[in-house]
Coordinates of all heavy atoms in Angstrom, one line a residue:
M24 N -16.8 21.0 134.2 CA -17.8 21.7 133.3 C -17.3 23.1 133.2 O -17.0 23.8 134.1 CB -19.2 21.6 133.9 CG -19.8 20.2 133.7 SD -21.5 20.3 133.2 CE -22.3 21.2 134.5
K25 N -17.4 23.5 131.9 CA -17.0 24.9 131.6 C -18.2 25.8 132.0 O -19.4 25.6 131.6 CB -16.7 25.0 130.1 CG -15.9 26.2 129.8 CD -15.5 26.2 128.3 CE -15.2 27.6 127.9 NZ -15.7 27.9 126.6
H26 N -17.9 26.9 132.6 CA -18.9 27.9 133.0 C -19.2 28.8 131.8 O -18.3 29.4 131.2 CB -18.4 28.8 134.1 CG -19.4 29.8 134.5 ND1 -20.6 29.6 135.1 CD2 -19.4 31.2 134.2 CE1 -21.3 30.7 135.2 NE2 -20.6 31.7 134.7
V27 N -20.5 28.8 131.4 CA -20.9 29.7 130.3 C -21.7 30.8 130.9 O -22.7 30.5 131.6 CB -21.7 28.9 129.3 CG1 -22.2 29.8 128.2 CG2 -20.9 27.7 128.7
P28 N -21.3 32.1 130.7 CA -22.2 33.2 131.2 C -23.5 33.2 130.4 O -23.5 33.1 129.2 CB -21.3 34.4 130.9 CG -20.3 34.0 129.9 CD -20.2 32.5 129.9
W29 N -24.6 33.5 131.1 CA -25.9 33.7 130.5 C -26.3 35.1 130.5 O -26.0 35.8 131.5 CB -26.9 32.8 131.2 CG -26.8 31.3 130.8 CD1 -25.7 30.6 130.9 CD2 -27.8 30.5 130.2 NE1 -26.0 29.3 130.4 CE2 -27.2 29.2 130.0 CE3 -29.2 30.7 129.9 CZ2 -28.0 28.2 129.5 CZ3 -29.9 29.7 129.4 CH2 -29.3 28.4 129.2
R30 N -26.9 35.5 129.5 CA -27.4 36.9 129.4 C -28.8 36.9 128.9 O -29.3 36.0 128.4 CB -26.6 37.7 128.3 CG -25.1 37.9 128.7 CD -24.9 38.8 129.9 NE -23.5 39.0 130.2 CZ -22.8 38.3 131.1 NH1 -23.4 37.3 131.7 NH2 -21.6 38.5 131.3
M31 N -29.5 38.1 129.2 CA -30.9 38.2 128.9 C -31.1 39.1 127.6 O -30.5 40.1 127.6 CB -31.6 38.7 130.1 CG -33.1 38.7 129.9 SD -34.0 39.4 131.3 CE -33.5 41.1 131.2
C32 N -31.9 38.6 126.7 CA -32.3 39.4 125.6 C -33.1 40.6 126.0 O -34.1 40.4 126.8 CB -33.0 38.6 124.5 SG -33.8 39.5 123.2
V33 N -32.8 41.8 125.6 CA -33.5 43.0 126.1 C -34.9 43.1 125.4 O -35.8 43.8 125.9 CB -32.8 44.3 125.8 CG1 -31.5 44.3 126.7 CG2 -32.5 44.5 124.4
A34 N -35.1 42.3 124.4 CA -36.4 42.4 123.7 C -37.4 41.4 124.2 O -38.5 41.7 124.5 CB -36.2 42.2 122.2
C35 N -37.0 40.1 124.3 CA -37.9 39.1 124.7 C -37.7 38.6 126.1 O -38.4 37.8 126.6 CB -37.9 37.9 123.7 SG -36.3 37.0 123.7
R36 N -36.6 39.1 126.7 CA -36.2 38.7 128.1 C -35.9 37.3 128.3 O -36.0 36.8 129.4 CB -37.3 39.2 129.0 CG -37.7 40.7 128.8 CD -38.1 41.3 130.0 NE -37.5 42.7 130.1 CZ -37.4 43.3 131.2 NH1 -37.8 42.9 132.4 NH2 -36.8 44.5 131.2
R37 N -35.6 36.6 127.2 CA -35.2 35.2 127.4 C -33.8 35.1 127.8 O -33.0 35.9 127.3 CB -35.4 34.5 126.0 CG -35.5 33.0 126.1 CD -36.5 32.5 125.0 NE -36.2 33.0 123.7 CZ -35.5 32.2 122.7 NH1 -35.1 31.0 123.0 NH2 -35.3 32.8 121.6
R38 N -33.5 34.2 128.6 CA -32.1 34.0 129.1 C -31.4 32.9 128.2 O -32.0 31.9 128.0 CB -32.0 33.6 130.5 CG -32.3 34.7 131.4 CD -32.0 34.4 132.9 NE -32.1 35.6 133.7 CZ -31.1 36.5 133.8 NH1 -30.0 36.2 133.2 NH2 -31.3 37.5 134.5
R39 N -30.2 33.3 127.7 CA -29.5 32.3 126.8 C -28.1 32.4 127.1 O -27.6 33.4 127.6 CB -29.8 32.7 125.3 CG -31.3 32.7 125.0 CD -31.5 33.3 123.6 NE -30.9 32.4 122.6 CZ -31.1 32.5 121.3 NH1 -31.8 33.5 120.8 NH2 -30.6 31.7 120.4
P40 N -27.3 31.4 126.6 CA -25.8 31.5 126.8 C -25.4 32.7 126.0 O -25.8 33.0 124.9 CB -25.3 30.2 126.1 CG -26.5 29.3 126.2 CD -27.7 30.1 126.1
K41 N -24.4 33.5 126.5 CA -23.9 34.7 126.0 C -23.6 34.6 124.5 O -23.8 35.4 123.7 CB -22.7 35.2 126.8 CG -22.2 36.5 126.4 CD -21.0 36.9 127.3 CE -20.4 38.1 126.8 NZ -19.1 38.4 127.5
G42 N -23.0 33.4 124.1 CA -22.5 33.2 122.7 C -23.6 33.1 121.7 O -23.4 33.3 120.5
E43 N -24.8 32.9 122.2 CA -26.0 32.8 121.2 C -26.6 34.2 121.0 O -27.5 34.3 120.2 CB -27.0 31.9 121.8 CG -26.6 30.5 121.8 CD -27.8 29.6 122.3 OE1 -28.9 30.1 122.4 OE2 -27.5 28.4 122.5
L44 N -26.2 35.2 121.7 CA -26.8 36.5 121.6 C -25.8 37.5 120.9 O -24.6 37.4 121.0 CB -27.1 37.0 123.0 CG -28.2 36.2 123.7 CD1 -28.2 36.5 125.2 CD2 -29.6 36.5 123.2
L45 N -26.4 38.5 120.3 CA -25.7 39.6 119.7 C -25.5 40.7 120.8 O -26.5 41.2 121.4 CB -26.4 40.1 118.5 CG -25.7 41.4 117.9 CD1 -24.4 41.1 117.3 CD2 -26.7 42.0 116.8
R46 N -24.3 41.2 120.9 CA -24.0 42.2 121.9 C -24.3 43.6 121.3 O -23.9 43.8 120.2 CB -22.6 42.1 122.5 CG -22.3 43.1 123.6 CD -21.0 42.7 124.3 NE -20.8 43.6 125.4 CZ -19.9 44.6 125.5 NH1 -19.2 44.9 124.4 NH2 -19.8 45.3 126.6
I47 N -24.9 44.5 122.1 CA -25.0 45.9 121.7 C -24.3 46.7 122.7 O -24.5 46.6 123.9 CB -26.5 46.3 121.7 CG1 -27.3 45.4 120.7 CG2 -26.7 47.7 121.4 CD1 -28.8 45.4 121.0
L48 N -23.4 47.5 122.2 CA -22.6 48.3 123.1 C -23.3 49.6 123.4 O -23.8 50.3 122.4 CB -21.2 48.6 122.5 CG -20.2 49.4 123.4 CD1 -19.8 48.6 124.6 CD2 -19.1 49.8 122.5
L49 N -23.5 50.0 124.6 CA -24.1 51.3 124.9 C -23.0 52.3 124.9 O -22.0 52.2 125.7 CB -24.8 51.2 126.3 CG -25.7 50.0 126.5 CD1 -26.3 50.1 127.9 CD2 -26.8 49.9 125.5
T50 N -23.2 53.4 124.1 CA -22.3 54.4 124.1 C -22.9 55.8 124.5 O -24.2 55.8 124.6 CB -21.7 54.6 122.6 OG1 -22.8 55.1 121.8 CG2 -21.2 53.3 122.1
E51 N -22.2 56.8 124.6 CA -22.7 58.1 125.0 C -23.7 58.6 123.9 O -24.7 59.3 124.2 CB -21.6 59.1 125.1 CG -20.7 58.7 126.3 CD -20.2 59.9 127.0 OE1 -20.4 61.0 126.5 OE2 -19.5 59.7 128.1
S52 N -23.4 58.3 122.7 CA -24.3 58.8 121.6 C -25.4 57.8 121.2 O -26.2 58.2 120.4 CB -23.4 59.1 120.4 OG -22.7 58.0 120.0
G53 N -25.4 56.7 121.8 CA -26.5 55.7 121.5 C -26.0 54.3 121.6 O -25.6 53.8 122.6
F54 N -26.1 53.6 120.4 CA -25.7 52.2 120.4 C -24.8 51.8 119.3 O -24.7 52.5 118.3 CB -27.0 51.3 120.2 CG -28.1 51.6 121.2 CD1 -29.1 52.4 120.8 CD2 -28.0 51.2 122.5 CE1 -30.2 52.7 121.7 CE2 -29.0 51.5 123.4 CZ -30.1 52.2 123.0
Q55 N -24.0 50.8 119.6 CA -23.2 50.3 118.5 C -23.2 48.8 118.6 O -23.1 48.2 119.6 CB -21.7 50.7 118.8 CG -20.7 50.4 117.7 CD -19.3 50.7 118.1 OE1 -19.1 51.6 118.9 NE2 -18.4 50.1 117.5
L56 N -23.4 48.1 117.4 CA -23.5 46.7 117.4 C -22.1 46.1 117.6 O -21.1 46.6 117.1 CB -24.1 46.1 116.1 CG -25.4 46.6 115.7 CD1 -26.0 45.9 114.5 CD2 -26.4 46.5 116.9
D57 N -22.0 45.1 118.4 CA -20.7 44.6 118.8 C -20.7 43.0 118.6 O -20.8 42.3 119.5 CB -20.4 44.9 120.2 CG -19.0 44.3 120.7 OD1 -18.2 43.9 119.8 OD2 -18.9 44.2 121.9
P58 N -20.6 42.6 117.3 CA -20.6 41.2 117.0 C -19.5 40.4 117.7 O -19.6 39.2 118.0 CB -20.5 41.1 115.5 CG -20.8 42.5 115.0 CD -20.4 43.4 116.1
S59 N -18.4 41.0 117.9 CA -17.2 40.4 118.5 C -17.5 40.1 120.0 O -16.9 39.3 120.6 CB -16.0 41.2 118.3 OG -16.0 42.3 119.2
G60 N -18.4 41.0 120.6 CA -18.6 40.9 122.0 C -17.5 41.3 122.9 O -17.4 41.0 124.1
K61 N -16.5 42.0 122.3 CA -15.3 42.3 123.0 C -15.0 43.8 123.3 O -14.1 44.1 123.9 CB -14.1 41.7 122.2 CG -14.1 40.2 122.4 CD -13.0 39.6 121.7 CE -13.0 38.1 121.9 NZ -12.5 37.3 120.7
L62 N -15.9 44.6 122.7 CA -15.6 46.1 122.9 C -15.8 46.4 124.4 O -16.7 45.9 125.0 CB -16.5 46.9 122.0 CG -16.3 46.7 120.5 CD1 -17.3 47.6 119.7 CD2 -14.9 47.1 120.1
P63 N -15.0 47.3 124.9 CA -15.1 47.7 126.3 C -16.3 48.6 126.5 O -16.7 49.4 125.6 CB -13.8 48.4 126.6 CG -13.3 48.9 125.3 CD -13.8 48.0 124.3
G64 N -17.0 48.4 127.6 CA -18.1 49.3 127.9 C -19.3 48.4 128.3 O -19.3 47.2 128.4
R65 N -20.4 49.1 128.6 CA -21.6 48.5 129.0 C -22.3 47.9 127.8 O -22.5 48.6 126.8 CB -22.5 49.5 129.7 CG -23.2 49.0 131.0 CD -23.7 50.2 131.7 NE -25.2 50.4 131.4 CZ -26.1 49.6 131.8 NH1 -25.9 48.6 132.6 NH2 -27.4 49.8 131.5
G66 N -22.8 46.7 128.0 CA -23.4 46.0 126.8 C -24.8 45.6 127.2 O -25.2 45.4 128.3
A67 N -25.6 45.3 126.1 CA -26.9 44.7 126.2 C -26.9 43.6 125.2 O -26.1 43.6 124.3 CB -28.0 45.7 126.0
Y68 N -27.9 42.7 125.2 CA -27.9 41.6 124.3 C -29.3 41.4 123.7 O -30.3 41.7 124.3 CB -27.5 40.3 125.1 CG -26.1 40.4 125.6 CD1 -25.8 41.1 126.8 CD2 -25.1 39.9 124.9 CE1 -24.5 41.2 127.2 CE2 -23.8 40.0 125.3 CZ -23.5 40.6 126.5 OH -22.2 40.8 126.9
V69 N -29.2 40.9 122.5 CA -30.5 40.6 121.7 C -30.3 39.4 120.9 O -29.2 39.0 120.5 CB -30.8 41.9 120.9 CG1 -29.9 41.9 119.6 CG2 -32.3 41.9 120.5
C70 N -31.4 38.6 120.7 CA -31.4 37.4 119.9 C -31.1 37.7 118.5 O -31.9 38.4 117.8 CB -32.7 36.7 120.0 SG -33.4 36.3 121.6
P71 N -30.0 37.2 117.9 CA -29.7 37.5 116.5 C -30.5 36.6 115.6 O -30.5 36.8 114.4 CB -28.2 37.1 116.4 CG -28.0 36.1 117.5 CD -29.0 36.4 118.6
D72 N -31.2 35.6 116.1 CA -31.9 34.6 115.2 C -33.4 34.8 115.3 O -34.2 34.0 114.8 CB -31.5 33.2 115.6 CG -31.7 32.9 117.1 OD1 -32.1 33.9 117.8 OD2 -31.3 31.8 117.5
N73 N -33.9 35.9 115.9 CA -35.3 36.1 116.0 C -35.7 37.5 115.7 O -35.6 38.4 116.4 CB -35.7 35.8 117.5 CG -37.3 35.9 117.7 OD1 -38.0 36.1 116.7 ND2 -37.7 35.8 118.9
P74 N -36.2 37.7 114.4 CA -36.5 39.0 113.9 C -37.5 39.7 114.8 O -37.6 41.0 114.8 CB -37.2 38.7 112.5 CG -36.6 37.4 112.1 CD -36.4 36.6 113.4
E75 N -38.3 39.0 115.6 CA -39.2 39.6 116.6 C -38.4 40.5 117.5 O -38.9 41.5 118.0 CB -39.9 38.6 117.4 CG -41.3 38.2 116.8 CD -42.3 39.2 117.0 OE1 -42.6 39.5 118.2 OE2 -42.8 39.8 116.0
C76 N -37.2 40.1 117.8 CA -36.4 40.8 118.8 C -35.7 42.1 118.2 O -35.1 42.8 118.9 CB -35.4 39.9 119.4 SG -36.1 38.6 120.4
W77 N -35.9 42.3 116.9 CA -35.3 43.5 116.3 C -36.3 44.5 116.1 O -36.0 45.6 115.5 CB -34.6 43.1 115.0 CG -33.9 41.8 114.9 CD1 -33.4 41.1 116.0 CD2 -33.6 41.0 113.8 NE1 -32.8 40.0 115.6 CE2 -32.9 39.9 114.2 CE3 -33.9 41.2 112.4 CZ2 -32.5 38.9 113.3 CZ3 -33.5 40.2 111.5 CH2 -32.8 39.1 112.0
T78 N -37.5 44.3 116.4 CA -38.6 45.3 116.1 C -38.5 46.5 117.1 O -38.2 46.3 118.2 CB -40.0 44.6 116.1 OG1 -40.2 44.2 117.5 CG2 -40.1 43.5 115.2
E79 N -38.9 47.6 116.5 CA -38.9 48.8 117.3 C -39.8 48.7 118.5 O -39.4 49.1 119.6 CB -39.4 50.0 116.4 CG -39.5 51.3 117.2 CD -40.1 52.4 116.3 OE1 -40.4 52.2 115.2 OE2 -40.2 53.5 116.9
K80 N -40.9 48.0 118.4 CA -41.8 47.8 119.5 C -41.2 47.1 120.6 O -41.3 47.4 121.8 CB -43.1 47.1 118.9 CG -44.2 47.0 119.9 CD -45.4 46.4 119.2 CE -46.3 45.8 120.3 NZ -46.7 44.4 120.0
R81 N -40.5 46.0 120.3 CA -39.9 45.2 121.3 C -38.7 45.9 121.9 O -38.4 45.6 123.1 CB -39.4 43.8 120.7 CG -40.5 42.9 120.3 CD -41.0 42.2 121.6 NE -41.8 41.1 121.2 CZ -41.6 39.8 121.6 NH1 -40.5 39.6 122.3 NH2 -42.4 38.9 121.3
L82 N -38.0 46.7 121.2 CA -36.8 47.4 121.7 C -37.1 48.6 122.5 O -36.2 49.2 123.2 CB -35.9 47.7 120.5 CG -35.3 46.5 119.8 CD1 -34.7 46.9 118.5 CD2 -34.3 45.8 120.7
R83 N -38.4 49.1 122.4 CA -38.6 50.4 123.0 C -38.4 50.5 124.5 O -37.9 51.4 125.0 CB -40.1 50.8 122.6 CG -40.3 52.3 123.1 CD -41.5 52.8 122.4 NE -41.3 52.9 121.0 CZ -42.3 52.9 120.1 NH1 -43.6 52.8 120.5 NH2 -42.1 52.9 118.8
R84 N -38.8 49.4 125.2 CA -38.6 49.4 126.6 C -37.2 49.6 127.0 O -36.8 50.2 128.0 CB -39.2 48.0 127.1 CG -39.0 47.8 128.6 CD -39.7 46.6 129.1 NE -39.4 45.5 128.2 CZ -40.1 44.3 128.1 NH1 -41.1 44.2 128.9 NH2 -39.8 43.4 127.3
F85 N -36.3 49.0 126.2 CA -34.9 49.1 126.4 C -34.3 50.4 125.9 O -33.5 51.1 126.5 CB -34.2 47.9 125.8 CG -32.7 48.0 125.6 CD1 -31.8 48.1 126.7 CD2 -32.2 48.1 124.3 CE1 -30.5 48.3 126.5 CE2 -30.9 48.3 124.1 CZ -30.0 48.4 125.2
A86 N -34.6 50.7 124.6 CA -33.9 51.8 123.9 C -34.7 53.1 123.9 O -34.2 54.1 123.4 CB -33.6 51.3 122.5
G87 N -36.0 53.1 124.3 CA -36.7 54.3 124.3 C -36.8 55.0 122.9 O -37.1 54.3 121.9
G88 N -36.5 56.3 122.8 CA -36.6 57.0 121.6 C -35.6 56.5 120.5 O -35.7 56.9 119.3
R89 N -34.6 55.7 120.9 CA -33.6 55.3 120.0 C -34.0 53.9 119.4 O -33.2 53.3 118.7 CB -32.2 55.2 120.6 CG -31.7 56.6 120.9 CD -30.2 56.6 121.1 NE -29.6 57.9 121.3 CZ -29.2 58.4 122.4 NH1 -29.3 57.7 123.5 NH2 -28.7 59.6 122.5
A90 N -35.1 53.4 119.8 CA -35.5 52.0 119.4 C -35.6 51.9 117.9 O -35.2 50.9 117.4 CB -36.9 51.7 120.0
K91 N -36.1 52.9 117.2 CA -36.2 52.8 115.8 C -34.8 52.7 115.1 O -34.6 51.8 114.3 CB -36.9 54.1 115.3 CG -37.3 54.0 113.8 CD -38.3 55.1 113.4 CE -38.9 54.9 112.0 NZ -37.9 55.1 111.0
A92 N -33.9 53.5 115.5 CA -32.6 53.5 114.9 C -31.9 52.1 115.2 O -31.3 51.5 114.4 CB -31.7 54.6 115.5
L93 N -32.1 51.6 116.4 CA -31.5 50.4 116.8 C -32.1 49.2 116.0 O -31.5 48.3 115.5 CB -31.7 50.1 118.3 CG -31.1 48.9 118.9 CD1 -29.6 48.8 118.6 CD2 -31.4 48.7 120.4
S94 N -33.5 49.3 115.9 CA -34.2 48.3 115.1 C -33.7 48.2 113.7 O -33.4 47.2 113.1 CB -35.7 48.6 115.1 OG -36.3 47.8 114.2
E95 N -33.4 49.4 113.1 CA -32.9 49.5 111.7 C -31.5 48.9 111.6 O -31.2 48.2 110.7 CB -33.0 50.9 111.2 CG -34.4 51.3 110.8 CD -34.6 52.8 110.6 OE1 -33.6 53.5 110.7 OE2 -35.7 53.2 110.3
A96 N -30.7 49.3 112.6 CA -29.3 48.8 112.6 C -29.3 47.2 112.7 O -28.5 46.6 112.0 CB -28.5 49.4 113.7
L97 N -30.1 46.7 113.6 CA -30.2 45.2 113.7 C -30.7 44.6 112.5 O -30.1 43.5 112.0 CB -31.1 44.9 114.9 CG -30.5 45.2 116.3 CD1 -31.6 45.0 117.4 CD2 -29.4 44.2 116.6
S98 N -31.7 45.1 111.9 CA -32.3 44.5 110.7 C -31.3 44.5 109.5 O -31.2 43.6 108.8 CB -33.6 45.2 110.3 OG -34.5 45.2 111.3
A99 N -30.6 45.7 109.4 CA -29.6 45.8 108.3 C -28.5 44.8 108.5 O -28.0 44.2 107.6 CB -29.1 47.2 108.3
F100 N -28.1 44.7 109.8 CA -26.9 43.8 110.1 C -27.3 42.3 110.0 O -26.5 41.5 109.5 CB -26.4 44.1 111.5 CG -25.2 43.3 111.9 CD1 -24.0 43.5 111.3 CD2 -25.3 42.3 112.8 CE1 -22.9 42.7 111.6 CE2 -24.3 41.5 113.2 CZ -23.0 41.7 112.6
L101 N -28.5 42.0 110.5 CA -28.8 40.6 110.7 C -29.8 40.1 109.6 O -29.9 38.9 109.3 CB -29.5 40.3 112.0 CG -28.6 40.6 113.2 CD1 -29.5 40.7 114.5 CD2 -27.6 39.5 113.4
G102 N -30.5 41.0 109.0 CA -31.6 40.7 108.1 C -31.1 40.0 106.8 O -31.9 39.3 106.2
G103 N -29.9 40.2 106.4 CA -29.4 39.7 105.1 C -29.3 38.2 105.1 O -29.3 37.6 104.1
K104 N -29.2 37.6 106.3 CA -28.9 36.2 106.4 C -30.0 35.3 105.8 O -29.7 34.4 105.0 CB -28.7 35.7 107.9 CG -27.3 36.2 108.3 CD -27.1 35.8 109.8 CE -25.8 36.3 110.3 NZ -25.7 36.2 111.7
D105 N -31.2 35.5 106.1 CA -32.3 34.7 105.5 C -33.4 35.6 104.9 O -34.2 35.0 104.2 CB -32.9 33.7 106.5 CG -33.2 34.4 107.8 OD1 -33.3 35.6 107.8 OD2 -33.5 33.6 108.8
G106 N -33.3 36.9 105.2 CA -34.3 37.7 104.5 C -33.8 38.1 103.1 O -32.9 39.0 103.0
Q107 N -34.3 37.5 102.1 CA -33.7 37.6 100.8 C -33.9 39.0 100.2 O -33.3 39.3 99.2 CB -34.2 36.5 99.9 CG -33.1 35.4 99.7 CD -33.4 34.3 100.6 OE1 -34.4 33.7 100.6 NE2 -32.4 33.9 101.5
N108 N -34.8 39.8 100.8 CA -35.1 41.0 100.1 C -34.3 42.2 100.6 O -34.5 43.3 100.1 CB -36.6 41.4 100.2 CG -37.3 40.6 101.3 OD1 -36.6 39.9 102.0 ND2 -38.5 40.8 101.5
T109 N -33.3 42.0 101.5 CA -32.6 43.2 102.0 C -31.5 43.7 101.1 O -31.3 44.9 101.0 CB -32.1 42.9 103.4 OG1 -32.1 41.5 103.7 CG2 -32.9 43.7 104.4
H110 N -30.7 42.8 100.6 CA -29.5 43.2 99.9 C -29.5 42.8 98.4 O -28.5 42.5 97.9 CB -28.3 42.7 100.6 CG -28.1 43.2 102.0 ND1 -27.9 44.5 102.2 CD2 -28.1 42.6 103.2 CE1 -27.9 44.7 103.5 NE2 -28.0 43.5 104.1
L111 N -30.7 42.9 97.8 CA -30.7 42.5 96.4 C -30.2 43.7 95.6 O -30.5 44.8 95.8 CB -32.2 42.3 96.0 CG -32.8 41.0 96.3 CD1 -34.2 40.9 95.8 CD2 -32.0 39.8 95.7
P112 N -29.3 43.4 94.6 CA -28.8 44.4 93.8 C -29.9 44.9 92.9 O -30.7 44.1 92.4 CB -27.7 43.7 93.0 CG -28.0 42.2 93.1 CD -28.7 42.0 94.4
A113 N -29.9 46.2 92.7 CA -31.0 46.8 91.8 C -30.7 46.3 90.3 O -29.6 46.6 89.8 CB -31.0 48.3 91.9
G114 N -31.6 45.7 89.8 CA -31.5 45.3 88.4 C -30.7 44.0 88.3 O -30.4 43.5 87.3
Ligands
LIG208 ZN1 -34.9 37.9 122.2

């Protein structure tokens, strides 16, 4: 059996196989989304398929004052998949 690393979502605290989660790289200046999961550095994880986990409220415990910026980055990055109102061309 292949060993699959499990990680915890920082928003809902659910444990899932690493591949099901979106990695967030912690940097000196804040956060950077790391869809490849391969950037060096300390990472955190969030559910990419649950908009509840991208909300500022849910992220605050983890991100503190940067929760809003992180929430916006996650929504912009992930929201386009099924949220039809994010990337509509004007007109
Ligand atoms: Zn989650």
Side-chain angles (χ1 to χ4, degrees):
M24 282 223 300
K25 199 175 156 219
H26 175 72
V27 179
W29 282 55
R30 296 289 182 268
M31 188 179 70
C32 169
V33 296
C35 67
R36 311 211 134 202
R37 199 146 52 102
R38 287 190 170 275
R39 304 173 63 173
K41 190 180 168 186
E43 290 185 8
L44 294 161
L45 172 67
R46 186 167 186 254
I47 301 162
L48 183 70
L49 309 182
T50 68
E51 297 215 351
S52 53
F54 306 103
Q55 184 186 338
L56 303 187
D57 176 20
S59 74
K61 287 181 180 145
L62 297 178
R65 222 166 96 73
Y68 296 83
V69 75
C70 303
D72 51 3
N73 183 5
E75 266 286 297
C76 295
W77 320 335
T78 61
E79 181 185 357
K80 189 173 159 233
R81 287 285 192 118
L82 293 165
R83 188 164 297 155
R84 178 173 43 198
F85 159 70
R89 292 198 173 105
K91 189 167 189 291
L93 182 58
S94 169
E95 283 168 2
L97 286 168
S98 301
F100 180 72
L101 297 164
K104 284 180 186 169
D105 50 11
Q107 257 96 58
N108 19 2
T109 14
H110 296 298
L111 281 181

